[in-house]
Amino acid sequence: MKIVEQIKQPIAFEMELFEQKFQLSMSSKVALLNRITHYIVNSKGKQMRPMFVFLVAKMVSNGEVRERTYRGASVIELIHTATLVHDDVVDDSNRRRGFFSVNALWKNKIAVLIGDFLLSKGLLLSIDNNDFDLLKIISVAVREMSEGELLQIEKARKLDITEEVYYEIIRQKTATLIAACCSLGAASVKPDSEHIEKMRKFGELIGMAFQIKDDLFDYGDTAIGKPTGIDIKEQKMTLPLIYALNNSSKKDKSWLINSVKNHNKDKKRVKEVIAFVKDNGGLDYAITKMKAFQEEALSMLNDYPESEFKNSLELMVNYVIDRKK
């Protein structure tokens, strides 16, 4: 059995029901909108985020889910999808998970409006059902994701990024949404409990490990749908590069900065930068840090009794680290 199917097994019923509820939550009276949202649903990924919501909810409540849990998972997925549609416009990207992006098929103006529509649908789903505690969790995540993206853009201009700033960027950009899924799962079944903050932290740690793993793909040779060296071409300062920069001579450091700033489109130079980072321990350091986040996340599950939901969450944490794409 594939690992993702194994993770999903204890929540297979909930995920199936969620699919139906999620499609309903996207519906509109406008035919064009329905055509586009139908396309989005059919080109979706593994749906890790709703899986986190249901697994956490069931783990902290001995297998219970509520209608609120389904709404929470739908809101997360609506808002996450809205950010992806907007990201593709910002990045001028024509592909998403092997499919054409919305902006590639229907142009930027429609893509931006679709993103806005999905965002408002998500907010109204919470407001109409008085899920204000869930709405707060999600709104904080959206704010942090925007701040993280802007912080990364600001730092890319100067390339003056420290390891601490890097962690802050990935915490906001990537980890905050997974943290929101986990805290929202807990809040949907155990409002006002200590589980909410605990699971938020658990999700944040997984998100940190997830992003470092993504950074490492930039230095690998495997086909992962993301060309090697793309982060360097985009002047993104990732952990392996930051480590190599901070632990090299003045001469090497200025060569590295010059390469990333002025020669990031030169394939030969990018390959040289990748080789330099590998030879100077950048990858090993990033792997060590990633595993530390993984271990800390797993240790947070120790307080919970054994269950199939806890087992799936442990599998999920390990999958984040071991995945090949």
Side-chain angles (χ1 to χ4, degrees):
M1 192 191 294
K2 275 188 174 171
I3 183 80
V4 177
E5 291 309 310
Q6 211 178 326
I7 293 166
K8 211 186 262 191
Q9 220 176 359
I11 49 162
F13 171 77
E14 285 80 8
M15 287 300 290
E16 216 165 290
L17 191 51
F18 162 72
E19 289 275 335
Q20 298 163 22
K21 290 176 184 283
F22 180 56
Q23 288 191 31
L24 275 174
S25 71
M26 278 202 198
S27 64
S28 151
K29 293 189 175 82
V30 180
L32 174 62
L33 254 173
N34 286 334
R35 196 155 73 242
I36 297 171
T37 52
H38 180 74
Y39 176 78
I40 289 170
V41 167
N42 287 334
S43 56
K44 66 183 182 307
K46 297 185 190 77
Q47 291 194 300
M48 303 298 266
R49 285 158 194 84
M51 284 160 68
F52 272 122
V53 175
F54 289 114
L55 286 170
V56 167
K58 292 191 113 181
M59 181 183 74
V60 303
S61 67
N62 299 323
E64 183 194 345
V65 293
R66 296 182 184 171
E67 201 52 49
R68 256 163 66 87
T69 316
Y70 288 99
R71 286 199 297 270
S74 292
V75 172
I76 281 278
E77 203 65 348
L78 282 164
I79 288 177
H80 174 59
T81 308
T83 61
L84 294 183
V85 172
H86 281 166
D87 279 354
D88 288 339
V89 174
V90 171
D91 298 338
D92 203 15
S93 174
N94 290 323
R95 309 287 291 186
R96 165 72 60 186
R97 302 184 184 117
F99 292 87
F100 282 114
S101 58
V102 173
N103 51 303
L105 293 173
W106 286 281
K107 302 292 176 253
N108 284 349
K109 184 176 180 179
I110 287 177
V112 170
L113 292 169
I114 288 287
D116 292 346
F117 170 78
L118 295 172
L119 195 60
S120 65
K121 275 280 192 183
L123 299 175
L124 285 167
L125 185 60
S126 293
I127 291 164
D128 291 345
N129 292 283
N130 293 328
D131 296 330
F132 296 111
D133 55 337
L134 306 186
L135 182 59
K136 185 174 181 184
I137 290 169
I138 291 152
S139 300
V140 168
V142 173
R143 184 198 70 205
E144 294 218 309
M145 284 155 68
S146 310
E147 285 180 353
E149 285 286 355
L150 288 163
L151 179 60
Q152 185 171 50
I153 291 166
E154 179 194 321
K155 293 297 176 185
R157 287 177 178 164
K158 297 179 189 164
L159 300 187
D160 62 343
I161 188 165
T162 60
E163 201 172 315
E164 285 66 38
V165 170
Y166 164 80
Y167 290 135
E168 185 54 20
I169 289 170
I170 69 166
R171 187 191 67 74
Q172 292 187 314
K173 253 187 69 173
T174 304
T176 193
L177 191 63
I178 298 175
C181 296
C182 296
S183 59
L184 195 142
S188 73
V189 287
K190 296 272 185 189
D192 305 317
S193 70
E194 73 284 358
H195 300 293
I196 300 169
E197 175 53 26
K198 194 167 185 177
M199 287 296 100
R200 186 202 66 76
K201 183 68 184 159
F202 167 73
E204 185 173 282
L205 290 162
I206 298 169
M208 301 292 275
F210 182 93
Q211 187 57 55
I212 296 173
K213 178 72 174 184
D214 249 20
D215 292 352
L216 287 163
F217 283 139
D218 208 44
Y219 293 86
D221 304 309
T222 47
I224 47 137
K226 179 179 175 184
T228 305
I230 199 165
D231 287 337
I232 295 165
K233 287 173 193 142
E234 291 177 358
Q235 297 188 340
K236 280 184 186 162
M237 299 293 281
T238 59
L239 190 55
L241 182 59
I242 292 164
Y243 179 83
L245 262 174
N246 292 342
N247 292 277
S248 54
S249 66
K250 207 173 174 183
K251 185 179 162 216
D252 285 337
K253 196 171 186 172
S254 82
W255 173 81
L256 267 177
I257 289 175
N258 184 30
S259 302
V260 176
K261 252 191 172 163
N262 305 314
H263 303 280
N264 52 22
K265 303 287 188 280
D266 178 340
K267 281 185 181 168
K268 183 173 173 285
R269 190 75 168 255
V270 169
K271 273 188 175 162
E272 286 169 4
V273 170
I274 289 171
F276 182 89
V277 171
K278 281 182 178 173
D279 295 345
N280 286 271
L283 266 62
D284 295 336
Y285 181 77
I287 289 166
T288 304
K289 286 291 181 185
M290 174 180 75
K291 288 192 167 161
F293 284 120
Q294 175 197 24
E295 289 303 316
E296 200 183 335
L298 287 170
S299 73
M300 294 197 77
L301 297 176
N302 291 342
D303 297 342
Y304 291 94
E306 288 307 313
S307 68
E308 53 184 342
F309 317 115
K310 177 178 166 177
N311 292 345
S312 276
L313 283 168
E314 286 170 348
L315 276 176
M316 190 90 111
V317 175
N318 294 327
Y319 170 72
V320 160
I321 304 299
D322 301 332
R323 68 199 165 100
K324 299 288 181 275
K325 62 178 180 178

